[in-house]
Amino acid sequence: MSRRPIVVGNWKMNKLPSEAAAYIREVGPMLVQYEGVDTVLAGQDVLLDAMVYAARSTPICIGAENVYWEDRGAYTGETSPAALADLGIKMVIIGHSERRNYFRETDEMVNLKTLATLRNGLMPIIAIDEAVQLESSNDHAHWIVNQVVESLKGVTEADMANVMLAYEPTAAIGSGQAMSPEIAQKSLWIIRQTVADMFNQDVADNLRILYGGSVKPTNVYDILSQPDIDGVLVGDAALDASTFIELVSLAQQAKRTLRKDA
Ligand SMILES: O=C[C@H](O)COP(=O)(O)O
């Protein structure tokens, strides 16, 4: 089992189309040297066309930040997964903490979006949050397990090869203070065990799970030195092109060292 490390930059609602294209033209050629690390940039819908165009002939995969669960129909303002696939989008972030908290997305909606994404040949990156202050470690584990189980209802074992999960404790998002790598590792281990219980150990061993929440160059190496953390979902630090390259380089170093030590 070998899970490729991955760095996902989530720009949220922070860039203009012209800025997006310039960023990708800058980082694209440099990323070729980090071929052992997958790189994804996710942008708001109005950027996606420009992003896909700028990223052709680069190793960057372009992702969307949200999607609707119907392929076509009278759903004014929503984004069709079929349209995303047609545009050349490969991945979609689903159930981000900001969508759950500001836009009232429920586990059921996250599940519908996951199934729609897979049906259209897109890879979902399903975010598992931790929105409330939980009193005991049992509550904490139950909260995580429940979100994983609800998100993956109806997903087949074969589909799981195209799914990623991302653990994002809400308090760490945008705060500048990441969760300690050791504590994050425990949550990711719970997520992996839940997937093993739902499917089997092989599916769990091959599943890529990301950590998100104030990842930056000063902490990414330690975060990715944890055995169950395969990648990072990065907000603020991914807005700057040279910082994104630095994160990818450190991700490569962390996983190389981990493999040597294994
Ligand atoms: O999707 C990214 C996460 O919400 C993390 O954002 P952040 O790196 O700004 O804390």
Side-chain angles (χ1 to χ4, degrees):
M1 169 260 317
S2 162
R3 300 186 295 261
R4 279 176 68 83
I6 181 164
V7 177
V8 180
N10 175 15
W11 286 345
K12 306 192 179 182
M13 206 181 70
N14 285 305
K15 283 203 187 288
L16 306 178
S18 53
E19 295 167 344
Y23 179 119
I24 292 171
R25 278 197 298 272
E26 183 181 341
V27 301
M30 287 192 261
L31 287 174
V32 176
Q33 61 189 302
Y34 305 110
E35 60 173 19
V37 182
D38 289 340
T39 49
V40 181
L41 289 171
Q44 51 179 318
D45 286 358
V46 289
L47 307 185
L48 294 177
D49 200 14
M51 290 173 77
V52 168
Y53 187 75
R56 70 202 188 290
S57 315
T58 78
I60 304 169
C61 221
I62 302 301
E65 298 176 10
N66 185 28
V67 69
Y68 193 56
W69 55 79
E70 296 290 348
D71 294 354
R72 289 173 192 257
Y75 304 103
T76 303
E78 290 294 335
T79 300
S80 149
L84 290 178
D86 192 59
L87 189 62
I89 299 302
K90 304 290 181 217
M91 296 180 189
V92 185
I93 299 171
I94 295 176
H96 189 281
S97 165
E98 286 147 18
R99 301 240 27 110
R100 292 178 188 262
N101 293 320
Y102 302 153
F103 303 101
R104 300 281 177 265
E105 275 191 17
T106 62
D107 287 340
E108 189 189 358
M109 291 156 84
V110 170
N111 178 243
L112 287 169
K113 291 179 178 200
T114 299
L115 295 174
T117 300
L118 288 165
R119 181 174 73 234
N120 283 283
L122 299 160
M123 296 180 78
I125 303 174
I126 307 167
I128 305 297
D129 80 346
E130 214 179 277
V132 291
Q133 209 57 44
L134 298 164
E135 282 179 5
S136 71
S137 57
N138 270 351
D139 289 342
H140 163 86
H142 183 259
W143 177 272
I144 293 175
V145 168
N146 192 51
Q147 278 188 65
V148 174
V149 169
E150 293 299 317
S151 306
L152 295 176
K153 268 187 183 161
V155 173
T156 66
E157 184 179 333
D159 285 336
M160 284 303 289
N162 294 316
V163 169
M164 281 183 265
L165 299 181
Y167 170 68
E168 291 213 314
T170 305
I173 297 175
S175 69
Q177 191 60 54
M179 180 176 258
S180 101
E182 292 75 19
I183 296 176
Q185 160 63 25
K186 284 185 189 156
S187 294
L188 267 76
W189 183 86
I190 292 171
I191 292 173
R192 203 176 295 287
Q193 289 316 301
T194 306
V195 170
D197 292 344
M198 289 180 75
F199 297 92
N200 56 56
Q201 194 61 48
D202 201 39
V203 168
D205 286 344
N206 285 302
L207 174 72
R208 288 194 286 182
I209 313 179
L210 287 62
Y211 165 82
S214 294
V215 173
K216 41 196 172 185
T218 48
N219 59 25
V220 71
Y221 186 94
D222 289 342
I223 290 168
L224 286 172
S225 296
Q226 298 297 323
D228 280 301
I229 306 182
D230 305 308
V232 282
L233 180 54
V234 190
D236 285 348
L239 292 175
D240 177 71
S242 57
T243 310
F244 186 71
I245 295 284
E246 206 181 340
L247 290 169
V248 175
S249 165
L250 288 159
Q252 186 186 57
Q253 290 171 38
K255 287 304 177 190
R256 274 191 183 153
T257 308
L258 194 64
R259 282 199 198 109
K260 265 190 224 137
D261 293 348

